[in-house]
């Protein structure tokens, strides 16, 4: 029975992180508006260089947190503080020549830690970048040729929105675990 209890105790943490990581772009008005969008003919996969240029040393602002893709060692770190609780992650990010950005990290919450990998696929045509979450996502315009305020890409910013909050959250969750 003990193994089952351990598995059950990780379910809330797993649910929280998957909701966060898998739904990173789901709150975007662009995503909601484009639920039935199909990828235009001729859209090609973005190259690793194009994706690297788009994401390196950027923070991706989310509704209840942020993730950071650092150039050094391709480190990925993130924090979330929402209705489901607090969670933080550390790992790596990677890009490929077939248009994939993957965030591979261990997520930590008050009731445990677990690995999670989330990938996004990117295509480009005439300066418009399309994105979808791999496995079950839908295509949407990530960035228009002339960036619009509603583009998800506007949530990628050079400021570090993660490091300071991450350290505070690590400390808070560590204190909570030892109580």
């Amino acid at each position: 029975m003990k193994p089952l209890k351990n598995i059950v105790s990780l379910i809330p943490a797993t649910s929280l992180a998957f909701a966060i990581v898998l739904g990173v772009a789901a709150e975007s008005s662009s995503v909601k508006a484009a639920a039935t969008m199909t990828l235009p003919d001729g859209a090609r996969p973005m190259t690793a260089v194009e994706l690297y240029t788009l994401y390196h040393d950027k923070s991706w602002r989310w509704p209840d947190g942020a993730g950071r893709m650092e150039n050094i060692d391709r480190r990925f770190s993130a924090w979330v503080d929402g209705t489901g609780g607090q969670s933080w992650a550390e790992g790596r990010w990677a890009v490929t020549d077939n248009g994939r950005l993957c965030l591979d990290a261990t997520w930590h919450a008050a009731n445990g830690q677990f690995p999670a990998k989330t990938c996004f696929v990117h295509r480009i045509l005439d300066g418009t970048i399309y994105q979808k979450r791999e496995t079950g996502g839908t295509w949407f315009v990530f960035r228009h040729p002339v960036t619009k305020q509603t583009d998800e890409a506007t949530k990628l910013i050079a400021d570090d929105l993660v490091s300071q909050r991450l350290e505070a959250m690590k400390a808070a969750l560590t204190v909570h675990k030892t109580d």
Side-chain angles (χ1 to χ4, degrees):
M1 279 304 214
K2 263 190 177 174
L4 182 58
K5 282 185 179 182
N6 289 340
I7 290 169
V8 171
S9 70
L10 287 178
I11 289 173
T14 305
S15 298
L16 169 66
F18 283 130
I20 293 159
V21 175
L22 299 179
V24 166
E27 294 291 324
S28 159
S29 59
S30 302
V31 175
K32 290 177 185 174
T36 59
M37 178 184 175
T38 58
L39 189 64
D41 290 338
R44 66 165 176 80
M46 291 182 72
T47 66
V49 170
E50 290 170 320
L51 289 171
Y52 174 81
T53 301
L54 183 63
Y55 287 100
H56 88 283
D57 286 334
K58 301 273 180 34
S59 294
W60 192 348
R61 195 175 15 194
W62 303 329
D64 292 334
R68 179 129 179 106
M69 282 88 28
E70 292 183 41
N71 183 43
I72 299 170
D73 297 329
R74 298 277 174 99
R75 287 189 308 231
F76 170 73
S77 54
W79 63 270
V80 175
D81 189 358
T83 56
Q86 293 184 331
S87 184
W88 61 272
E90 289 182 319
R92 294 180 47 96
W93 65 284
V95 292
T96 67
D97 276 328
N98 64 355
R100 291 176 78 210
L101 161 73
C102 292
L103 309 172
D104 191 0
T106 299
W107 283 86
H108 303 261
N111 60 348
Q113 64 181 16
F114 58 94
K117 183 175 182 177
T118 303
C119 296
F120 299 90
V121 183
H122 299 76
R123 300 287 183 266
I124 190 167
L125 178 66
D126 297 329
T128 300
I129 298 174
Y130 302 89
Q131 184 195 72
K132 78 170 186 164
R133 182 176 49 83
E134 246 182 7
T135 315
T138 57
W139 288 108
F140 69 97
V141 173
F142 186 74
R143 188 181 77 195
H144 291 86
V146 175
T147 305
K148 296 182 179 183
Q149 243 182 331
T150 57
D151 286 352
E152 185 68 21
T154 64
K155 296 176 183 173
L156 292 174
I157 60 174
D159 295 340
D160 184 349
L161 302 177
V162 175
S163 297
Q164 189 173 14
R165 183 73 183 259
L166 179 69
E167 292 308 314
M169 193 171 286
K170 280 181 179 181
L173 287 174
T174 301
V175 168
H176 184 264
K177 284 181 182 180
T178 59
D179 287 347

